Amino acid sequence: MSLYLLAQSLVTDRKGVTALEYGLIAALIAAVIVGAVTTLGTSAAGVFQFIAGKLVTP
């Protein structure tokens, strides 16, 4: 199969476009999850540091 025919089949194949759209949606969801976990992790670390500072050693 020539490179031209391969490129033409990729352009006209709707399955590839749908898979690409699902891939982009999955990447966006992953980016949002990473951002949320990073923010919550930083916030939780601050809370634990505050609590650790208030503990008294016997």
Side-chain angles (χ1 to χ4, degrees), residues 3-53:
L3 185 60
Y4 174 74
L5 291 176
L6 179 65
Q8 187 177 13
S9 70
L10 288 175
V11 169
T12 58
D13 186 15
R14 293 297 298 168
K15 290 183 219 173
V17 174
T18 303
L20 179 65
E21 290 169 351
Y22 283 131
L24 289 173
I25 290 170
L28 178 62
I29 290 171
V32 168
I33 290 172
V34 167
V37 168
T38 302
T39 302
L40 291 174
T42 304
S43 175
V47 169
F48 287 127
Q49 288 291 344
F50 175 76
I51 293 170

